[in-house]
Amino acid sequence: MVKDPKRVQRLVSSGLLSGKDAGILDSASQAHQASRKGLYFALAIGTIGLISVTILGIQNFSYRTKMEKQSDLMATIDGLEKKLETEASPGVDLPEKALHSAADKTLLVAKLRAAERQLRQLQDGIQAKDWVNTYSNPLGLSIHRILQQFGKQNYIVPDLFIQRVERHIKTFSHPKNRSHGILKASFARKAKYYPLIERELLRENMPTAFFYVAMHESALDPLAISHAGARGLWQFMPRTARQYGLHVPQNWRKLPAKADERTDPEKSTRAGVKYLKRLMVEFGDVALAMASYNAGEGRIRKALRKIDDPINDRDFWYIYRLGILAKETNEYVPKIIATMIIDKNRSRYGF
């Protein structure tokens, strides 16, 4: 086939090729070239498709392998946690069973922590959309997403945590339980105080989810006062309040509420957020910061001094399992998370 246009023109000029034949030849040449281009294009698409299928196959195999390993690790963790439940921890209501020795319990916790570290490393490679496959209990995924609001992106929520949160949700949701009425009043006040607290948290570059600390502390009642003398939205004790710049008279119990700056929503919120921020800076962990807000940083420091591995075991759930915190402090974090879950779907839980 003659492909050179100049050669075709010479053949026409010399009379060896008619104009009609030249047109036919030109059309055939163009069709041939188009056919070759189509073939190349099809080959390119096919090659790309084959590569894509291969990559997807490798990714799917890798994902399945990760998920299988994850299931094995979670089964190991579940087994270790069930063994730990035979220990009658002072901070957890569990059936009375045979007690382990302190050494046995420490060893179990160490094994559990090692398995959790392996799981966390594995899950660092699992995409965010795949977290839905991580928890057999849907509540686990809800807790996971809440903890992400606190910056815990790849935190594996322990089964014990899920169980405690679930228990508190049931308690708070029961209409005849006193906690139900308190939480209902908190939700009614949220619209009034959330903007103020949110603003201060953002100003200090703190997660806005810390709002629920105030909700849990005082039911968002600026005049709330505890039997121990804590007062205001953030339930400051007099000494701590003064440390953060709030004016609290020595004889505050005998004076009008406005004489005590703990009852001032703006001033107390500014102080409360600064206090929480300092706890976050010191402990570097949301749950530890919350626990120290409840128990006092001194008690949490003392508990942390009892751990063997200050890098890998500097975690609320490690000391929780050891049973070295008061019951109120143990349940403080699960209660706050339970409150957050209920608030996101009030009608479902009877509010």
Side-chain angles (χ1 to χ4, degrees), residues 229-257:
R231 197 177 197 183
L233 284 179
W234 296 86
Q235 288 293 282
F236 272 113
M237 293 295 288
R239 181 180 177 183
T240 309
R242 295 184 188 110
Q243 289 175 348
Y244 284 86
L246 297 178
H247 176 68
V248 183
Q250 293 296 333
N251 59 340
W252 60 269
R253 290 183 183 274
K254 299 179 181 180
L255 298 174

Side-chain angles (χ1 to χ4, degrees), residues 183-231:
L183 197 54
K184 193 171 184 178
S186 302
F187 291 150
R189 299 183 184 112
K190 181 181 178 182
K192 182 176 181 179
Y193 293 109
Y194 182 78
L196 163 65
I197 297 174
E198 179 190 43
R199 184 181 70 237
E200 292 301 324
L201 286 166
L202 291 174
R203 181 179 295 173
E204 294 293 337
N205 297 310
M206 292 281 282
T208 55
F210 272 117
F211 161 80
Y212 289 91
V213 172
M215 178 178 279
H216 182 69
E217 284 286 334
S218 65
L220 299 178
D221 180 0
L223 299 179
I225 183 170
S226 74
H227 66 277
R231 197 177 197 183

Side-chain angles (χ1 to χ4, degrees), residues 143-214:
I143 298 171
H144 179 88
R145 286 172 174 162
I146 284 175
L147 292 177
Q148 286 181 323
Q149 297 177 39
F150 290 104
K152 307 284 279 187
Q153 299 303 321
N154 292 323
Y155 185 76
I156 173 65
V157 182
D159 283 344
L160 180 60
F161 191 177
I162 298 172
Q163 293 164 13
R164 301 311 295 173
V165 171
E166 190 168 36
R167 176 169 180 169
H168 292 307
I169 288 175
K170 289 179 180 178
T171 300
F172 293 160
S173 301
H174 198 292
K176 294 184 179 180
N177 192 288
R178 179 173 175 269
S179 300
H180 182 89
I182 294 173
L183 197 54
K184 193 171 184 178
S186 302
F187 291 150
R189 299 183 184 112
K190 181 181 178 182
K192 182 176 181 179
Y193 293 109
Y194 182 78
L196 163 65
I197 297 174
E198 179 190 43
R199 184 181 70 237
E200 292 301 324
L201 286 166
L202 291 174
R203 181 179 295 173
E204 294 293 337
N205 297 310
M206 292 281 282
T208 55
F210 272 117
F211 161 80
Y212 289 91
V213 172

